[in-house]
Amino acid sequence: MKKDAAYYLSKGFDLPMAEYFAAGRRRITAVAPNRDFTLTLDFDNGERRLYDCKPLLQPGTVFAPFMLFDNFRRVYLDKDHCVSWDIDPAVDSETVWSNKVDISPDSCYVDSIPLA
């Protein structure tokens, strides 16, 4: 049984996320960093979207190391198709989970804008 936006709203989701889940989740298939600290994301439905990371890149947060473009550009998709960065690129984040910061594909989709 497909759940509609009203169902997700009743579970506490905000409207954009409720509409997203009701329409069906998306998977990120490719990620590319841009010099302006945005990401170009390709999704499994053929959409290309732009995600602005600047609001996340604040001193004192887990994203602080990626305020430097050389660190930001190390972005990749992990095995769960999350946008991810390793804090220390010499450490395997599959072994040391606290070495990785990530953003869920769901948030990336809802908080991004379509590219023409």
Side-chain angles (χ1 to χ4, degrees), residues 28 76-84 100 102-105:
I28 303 171
Y76 66 95
L77 294 178
D78 70 10
K79 64 181 173 53
D80 297 315
H81 299 274
C82 295
V83 169
S84 303
K100 180 173 79 171
D102 60 21
I103 310 168
S104 78

Side-chain angles (χ1 to χ4, degrees), residues 43-60:
F43 287 85
D44 61 351
N45 64 348
E47 281 187 82
R48 178 167 277 182
R49 298 177 70 91
L50 189 68
Y51 183 85
D52 185 359
C53 292
K54 290 182 290 294
L56 300 174
L57 304 175
Q58 301 297 320

Side-chain angles (χ1 to χ4, degrees), residues 9-108:
L9 288 168
S10 75
K11 298 296 181 187
F13 288 72
D14 64 12
L15 183 60
M17 199 59 83
E19 290 173 340
Y20 164 78
F21 276 99
R25 296 177 77 183
R26 302 284 179 247
R27 186 175 66 136
I28 303 171
T29 58
V31 60
N34 302 307
R35 295 279 316 162
D36 64 353
F37 293 92
T38 61
L39 299 171
T40 301
L41 304 170
D42 292 336
F43 287 85
D44 61 351
N45 64 348
E47 281 187 82
R48 178 167 277 182
R49 298 177 70 91
L50 189 68
Y51 183 85
D52 185 359
C53 292
K54 290 182 290 294
L56 300 174
L57 304 175
Q58 301 297 320
T61 70
V62 296
F63 290 97
F66 309 107
M67 293 170 65
L68 298 172
F69 187 73
D70 282 345
N71 294 337
F72 180 78
R73 70 184 180 139
R74 294 193 328 250
V75 67
Y76 66 95
L77 294 178
D78 70 10
K79 64 181 173 53
D80 297 315
H81 299 274
C82 295
V83 169
S84 303
W85 292 269
D86 293 334
I87 296 166
D88 181 345
V91 174
D92 179 5
S93 290
E94 293 295 317
T95 305
V96 182
W97 67 267
S98 61
N99 186 55
K100 180 173 79 171
V101 296
D102 60 21
I103 310 168
S104 78
D106 304 323
S107 294
C108 285

